[in-house]
Amino acid sequence: VHRLDDHALATAAEADRELSAGKDRGALHGIPYGAKDLIAIPPWPTTWGAPAYRDQVRSQTATVAEKLQSAGAILIAKLSLGALAMGDEWFAGTTRNPWSPRQGSSGSSAGSASAVAAGLCGFAIGSETLGSIISPCRRCHVTGLRPTFGRVSRAGCMTLSWSMDKIGPIARTAEDCAVVLAAIMGHDPKDPSTCASSFNYPFDKPVDNWRIATVENQLTDGEKPCVDALRAAGAEIVSVK
């Protein structure tokens, strides 16, 4: 929706200066990312994918964007979403699946999944009310992490459902998603739904005492190797209906 080239290049130059001076903000320092365009980041518009809001500029910066800025990540673009966070159709048309451009990328985190799949950014931030991270990730063959409700602040993000909305990362691997989640999660007084909880990554706890459920007859070809790897590492895999 909006490319932020000048901002991105200036932020990247600042990241280079910090790293050269020995200031390392962590794994995301200098990594380019995109934000679903229901995440408010002034002074740029936050369009919600809808014609009526295409020039809307919010006054509050979303907490998730503030946390990523503190972690040194570099915002390069505001990414398309289905109008008012539904589907992959927005005021400029359909967001496409890069692997099959005749096909929509599904929604509503359509641009976030599509941009990561196309290699345009290291990771992106999406949101999910009911499938809006998982669905475009499956369509575009990238990895999405839909956090538990209340783990990541939604302050400064468009509300579709107060009791269901979640903010989460989209990346190429589960490990990348874990790195991003560790940076964006946590209690936020601006979002009363958030709670104090721990998530430490990287971690070295063994998985041989884990019990992991899979949905009966629902594993895709891409998911089966993940289950096999967990089983080989000692986890107990159980099938549920």
Side-chain angles (χ1 to χ4, degrees):
V1 182
H2 293 286
R3 282 177 47 171
L4 311 178
D5 296 15
D6 292 341
H7 165 79
L9 290 169
T11 308
E14 177 61 23
D16 285 343
R17 286 191 290 269
E18 288 187 345
L19 290 166
S20 296
K23 182 178 180 179
D24 188 345
R25 296 175 183 260
L28 297 181
H29 199 173
I31 302 299
Y33 84 98
K36 184 176 180 177
D37 202 27
L38 54 64
I39 298 169
I41 310 174
W44 303 289
T46 300
T47 71
W48 300 349
Y53 299 104
R54 63 188 306 165
D55 297 317
Q56 170 182 239
V57 177
R58 311 290 290 181
S59 59
Q60 176 189 8
T61 299
T63 297
V64 64
E66 291 177 338
K67 284 179 173 282
L68 288 171
Q69 182 179 2
S70 296
I74 298 173
L75 179 67
I76 64 171
K78 300 294 291 298
L79 302 174
S80 62
L81 69 154
L84 300 179
M86 290 177 280
D88 53 21
E89 295 278 347
W90 58 299
F91 58 78
T94 303
T95 302
R96 304 290 177 174
N97 172 9
W99 300 108
S100 181
R102 290 177 295 179
Q103 181 183 53
S105 63
S106 187
S108 66
S109 301
S112 298
S114 183
V116 171
L120 303 180
C121 50
F123 68 95
I125 301 297
S127 69
E128 172 160 327
T129 304
L130 190 65
S132 289
I133 289 176
I134 302 304
S135 180
C137 285
R138 294 187 76 163
R139 176 68 58 85
C140 296
H141 288 224
V142 290
T143 302
L145 196 163
R146 189 225 68 185
T148 305
F149 179 82
R151 183 173 279 272
V152 179
S153 174
R154 302 163 301 168
C157 302
M158 190 201 94
T159 301
L160 185 59
S161 169
W162 287 108
S163 58
M164 296 178 68
D165 294 346
K166 285 85 57 182
I167 303 295
I170 294 173
R172 290 186 183 83
T173 68
E175 185 171 19
D176 287 351
C177 284
V179 171
V180 177
L181 179 65
I184 63 175
M185 60 157 286
H187 174 65
D188 178 16
K190 292 182 287 187
D191 181 354
S193 75
T194 55
C195 56
S197 55
S198 63
F199 179 79
N200 299 312
Y201 190 83
F203 62 92
D204 56 4
K205 294 181 180 178
V207 301
D208 54 11
N209 60 349
W210 291 12
R211 192 162 179 257
I212 300 173
T214 63
V215 181
E216 188 175 280
N217 300 321
Q218 294 295 312
L219 287 179
T220 66
D221 289 342
E223 292 163 343
K224 289 175 182 175
C226 301
V227 175
D228 291 341
L230 289 166
R231 184 182 289 109
E236 178 187 359
I237 307 296
V238 298
S239 180
V240 297
K241 293 184 179 181

